[in-house]
Amino acid sequence: MNKRANLSKHVKGASGWRYYPVVWLRNGSVRPNHVLVNGKAEHHQGFYSIEWYERGRRRRQAVGKEASEAQAALERHLHRLRGLALGFKAGQEAQESKRSLV
């Protein structure tokens, strides 16, 4: 199972709507409203999305317009992917025995 995911931003440019990778700061946070276009950081408005591969197919999920919310969503998604790789099922609750207290 793939345990990787990327954060990108969907922005409108001269050639239409495209996905570009976000700019990461040295402290590990996302630089708000900046994307890499041809290797250079540029300021663009748009929305963030997470992309990953699942069963050989690329998946994308929109996660909002704020950089901090997008980074938190990416971390939650990576945590879920690592759990799935370890054998946990999504939404799996702790299963208790079904004995009544009486």
Side-chain angles (χ1 to χ4, degrees), residues 23-41:
V23 175
W24 292 91
L25 298 173
R26 288 185 180 175
N27 65 2
S29 63
V30 176
R31 185 171 183 190
N33 297 322
H34 282 77
V35 294
L36 288 174
V37 179
N38 296 326
K40 295 183 179 182

Side-chain angles (χ1 to χ4, degrees), residues 34-101:
H34 282 77
V35 294
L36 288 174
V37 179
N38 296 326
K40 295 183 179 182
E42 294 182 9
H43 184 273
H44 288 281
Q45 297 295 324
F47 66 89
Y48 293 94
S49 64
I50 299 171
E51 64 179 24
W52 72 97
Y53 284 89
E54 188 174 288
R55 296 185 194 125
R57 296 183 60 153
R58 182 170 50 189
R59 301 290 207 186
R60 285 191 175 127
Q61 178 184 5
V63 292
K65 291 186 174 186
E66 295 294 323
S68 58
E69 292 175 7
Q71 186 173 355
L74 176 66
E75 290 170 5
R76 281 193 305 271
H77 186 76
L78 289 172
H79 188 72
R80 185 182 72 82
L81 288 178
R82 289 182 190 120
L84 289 173
L86 290 172
F88 293 106
K89 293 188 172 102
Q92 183 179 8
E93 301 286 330
Q95 298 201 1
E96 302 286 332
S97 62
K98 295 192 177 195
R99 294 183 189 173
S100 65
L101 296 174

